[in-house]
């Protein structure tokens, strides 16, 4: 899948060898690139960090700012207070909305409580919200491909609850019911498997031949780029280890992509979760990380693998990423006057 204007970059010449591999059964690490933080995650994490610096603790955050245990714990140590809902935030206090976005109902509830909000929703998620609003205004049935219960899906669905129904897998397509088969559009969660989403759309189009596509792909550039890198790396690997938390959709998808490419694959939050049995008999281990993972966790994993004899590292780079997002406007305004 390709996004109009923000599509994955083309390969820049293939893998770049950092350390030459010698002859024989040399143990090596293949390090996927791109990996780790995307622009939306970086923006959200920096927003909380700058808010703590500017206003001082506590700064409340609705849900996890991003889906990574290490990041959440680090921010909590600095004074961020994570809550499940805005009614747990003291009236008049400051609250940050996470990168996954919120529904209009959450915004309204925050306003009723007099909360000072900082919206760290990823701009690419905001784009999907706006699509849902526009398609609902056209009275279309909106099929939202995504994982039921995921915060991003809940926020998007909340933009037009009377028009949106969630399709959480290709197998769920048969249960879809619409008012008019000629007035149906699909949109998607930004962190899905590209291949599985394409299969879901294919099945939906089989049922609804006039299915309308969104103006550009909703799966974000970073999710696509990380999956492309894993596809390039995994066929050369005996084992692929993905650093990322269990509730990180894009991290879990990377495990699936690696397995579909023929490698054994495992997900860990940190290096200390690696089972040495995974490495038995392996000569090549692939390493990547989800879009909400700081690179320090990847470096820790590479160091652990080196201690197990995997001392040579080759970076498998399929593209470079340069996109950056400005901080939330509420924060920028206060920074200008501070």
């Amino acid at each position: 899948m390709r996004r109009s204007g923000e599509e994955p970059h083309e390969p820049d010449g293939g893998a770049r060898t950092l350390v030459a591999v010698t002859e024989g059964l040399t143990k090596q690490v293949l390090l996927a690139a791109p990996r780790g933080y995307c622009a939306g995650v970086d923006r959200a994490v920096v927003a909380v960090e700058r808010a703590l610096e500017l206003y001082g603790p506590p700064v409340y955050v609705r849900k996890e700012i991003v889906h990574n245990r290490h990041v959440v714990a680090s921010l909590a140590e600095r004074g961020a207070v994570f809550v499940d809902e805005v009614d747990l935030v003291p009236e008049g206090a400051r609250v940050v909305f996470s990168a996954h976005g919120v529904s209009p109902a959450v915004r309204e509830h925050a306003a009723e409580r007099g909360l000072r909000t900082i919206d760290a929703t990823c701009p690419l998620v905001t784009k999907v919200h706006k699509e849902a609003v526009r398609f609902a205004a056209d009275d279309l049935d909106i099929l939202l491909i995504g994982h039921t219960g995921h915060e991003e899906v809940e926020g998007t669905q909340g933009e037009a609850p009377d028009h949106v129904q969630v399709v959480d897998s290709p197998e769920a397509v048969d249960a879809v019911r619409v008012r008019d088969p000629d007035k149906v559009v699909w949109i998607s969660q930004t962190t899905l498997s590209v291949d599985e989403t394409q299969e879901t759309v294919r099945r939906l189009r089989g049922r609804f031949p006039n299915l309308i596509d969104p103006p550009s792909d909703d799966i974000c550039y970073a999710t696509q780029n990380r999956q492309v890198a894993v596809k390039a790396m995994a066929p050369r690997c005996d084992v692929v280890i993905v650093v990322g938390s269990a509730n990180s959709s894009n991290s879990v998808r990377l495990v699936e992509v690696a397995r579909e490419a023929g490698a054994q694959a495992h997900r860990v939050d940190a290096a200390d979760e690696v089972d040495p049995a995974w490495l038995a008999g392996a000569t090549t281990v692939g390493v990547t990380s989800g879009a909400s993972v700081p690179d320090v966790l990847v470096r820790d994993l590479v160091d652990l693998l080196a201690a197990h004899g995997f001392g040579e590292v080759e970076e498998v780079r399929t593209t470079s990423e340069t996109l950056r997002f400005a901080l939330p406007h509420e924060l920028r305004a206060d920074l200008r006057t501070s």
Side-chain angles (χ1 to χ4, degrees):
M1 284 189 168
R2 290 288 192 269
R3 167 179 305 287
S4 176
E6 293 176 350
E7 57 187 331
H9 300 273
E10 293 301 317
D12 62 359
R16 177 168 60 89
T17 300
L18 301 183
V19 181
V21 178
T22 58
E23 294 181 0
L25 296 178
T26 300
K27 293 182 177 181
Q28 65 172 339
V29 172
L30 300 185
L31 190 58
R35 62 183 179 277
Y37 271 11
C38 64
V41 164
D42 185 64
R43 172 181 186 264
V45 173
V46 171
V48 178
E49 292 173 342
R50 296 301 296 273
L52 287 166
E53 294 168 1
L54 183 62
Y55 310 119
V59 169
Y60 292 86
V61 183
R62 182 186 181 273
K63 306 291 188 181
E64 295 185 349
I65 186 66
V66 297
H67 285 161
N68 184 265
R69 284 170 45 189
H70 175 88
V71 171
V72 170
S74 297
L75 292 173
E77 289 177 358
R78 297 175 59 178
V81 178
F82 295 90
V83 298
D84 285 335
E85 295 299 342
V86 293
D87 57 8
L88 298 175
V89 180
E91 291 190 5
R94 186 169 276 102
V95 62
V96 181
F97 294 145
S98 80
H100 309 104
V102 297
S103 69
V106 172
R107 298 180 190 277
E108 292 167 8
H109 191 30
E112 290 168 359
R113 294 181 54 78
L115 302 182
R116 291 170 289 175
T117 60
I118 298 172
D119 187 0
T121 302
C122 174
L124 301 181
V125 173
T126 299
K127 164 190 171 292
V128 182
H129 282 221
K130 291 179 178 178
E131 289 174 351
V133 171
R134 184 167 69 253
F135 293 141
D138 292 336
D139 199 30
L140 299 174
D141 279 354
I142 303 167
L143 306 182
L144 171 56
I145 301 173
H147 300 297
T148 302
H150 191 281
E151 291 154 37
E152 181 185 328
V153 169
E154 290 178 345
T156 303
Q157 190 171 22
E159 294 284 359
D162 294 335
H163 288 80
V164 175
Q165 59 183 298
V166 178
V167 183
D168 61 11
S169 68
E171 293 71 31
V173 168
D174 290 342
V176 171
R177 297 292 179 268
V178 301
R179 294 168 298 163
D180 182 345
D182 293 324
K183 295 185 66 177
V184 184
V185 63
W186 71 274
I187 59 178
S188 82
Q189 182 180 335
T190 62
T191 55
L192 299 180
S193 160
V194 174
D195 293 340
E196 183 173 298
T197 301
Q198 289 176 331
E199 174 61 15
T200 302
V201 172
R202 186 189 68 78
R203 295 192 189 191
L204 285 171
R205 204 174 301 282
R207 289 199 58 198
F208 311 113
N210 294 324
L211 180 70
I212 301 168
D213 295 322
S216 59
D217 289 341
D218 292 334
I219 297 178
C220 85
Y221 78 98
T223 295
Q224 295 187 54
N225 285 342
R226 280 148 190 73
Q227 290 178 20
V228 169
V230 168
K231 285 181 180 179
M233 175 186 73
R236 299 172 56 192
C237 299
D238 302 303
V239 181
V240 171
I241 300 176
V242 177
V243 184
S245 293
N247 62 340
S248 167
S249 176
N250 74 89
S251 297
V252 173
R253 301 290 83 71
L254 291 175
V255 175
E256 295 173 351
V257 168
R259 289 173 177 167
E260 289 167 1
Q264 296 182 42
H266 307 277
R267 181 202 56 78
V268 298
D269 267 291
D272 60 7
E273 296 181 1
V274 171
D275 184 345
W278 299 344
L279 310 178
T283 58
T284 303
V285 176
V287 171
T288 189
S289 58
S292 53
V293 177
D295 202 50
V296 62
L297 299 182
V298 175
R299 294 199 300 269
D300 288 346
L301 175 56
V302 172
D303 289 344
L304 179 140
L305 291 170
H308 282 79
F310 295 85
E312 299 189 0
V313 179
E314 177 186 331
E315 185 177 73
V316 180
R317 175 170 293 280
T318 52
T319 191
S320 297
E321 294 174 351
T322 59
L323 182 65
R324 296 290 183 270
F325 292 131
L327 287 171
H329 69 88
E330 306 96 336
L331 190 55
R332 296 202 308 273
D334 286 349
L335 285 169
R336 284 195 296 269
T337 59
S338 64

